[in-house]
Amino acid sequence: YYTAWAGCSLYIQDFYIEPDYRHRGIGSSLLSAVAELAQQRNSVFVELMVSANNPSRRLYRRLGFERVKHAMMY
């Protein structure tokens, strides 16, 4: 639960697709299922922690993930 956003969220940790299975839509399908679950639970957002140099950030942006403005992780 996040008091600053007044609601619960879903948190994804260690999202990984084996290299032989990438570029087949598996990651997109899994993340879409998570987004659907978040909507069903009225979650204010889905949290996905990722390294700044992770090339998968392109996929996340394409699927609608955005950086949370005014928030910093320490």
Side-chain angles (χ1 to χ4, degrees):
Y1 189 85
Y2 292 90
T3 55
W5 285 280
C8 296
S9 74
L10 292 178
Y11 177 75
I12 299 172
Q13 182 173 337
D14 297 331
F15 184 75
Y16 181 79
I17 304 297
E18 292 283 341
D20 290 345
Y21 296 96
R22 293 178 185 167
H23 306 289
R24 298 182 184 191
I26 296 169
S28 298
S29 294
L30 289 170
L31 290 170
S32 293
V34 170
E36 186 175 323
L37 178 62
Q39 288 180 334
Q40 291 172 3
R41 293 184 175 190
N42 295 318
S43 297
V44 292
F45 59 87
V46 174
E47 184 176 359
L48 173 62
M49 186 65 61
V50 61
S51 298
N53 63 349
N54 187 328
S56 296
R57 289 174 54 215
R58 288 187 300 272
L59 168 66
Y60 306 144
R61 283 192 301 270
R62 191 171 68 242
L63 294 175
F65 282 86
E66 299 175 6
R67 287 190 67 188
V68 177
K69 296 178 182 173
H70 311 296
M72 297 187 74
M73 182 61 66
Y74 288 94

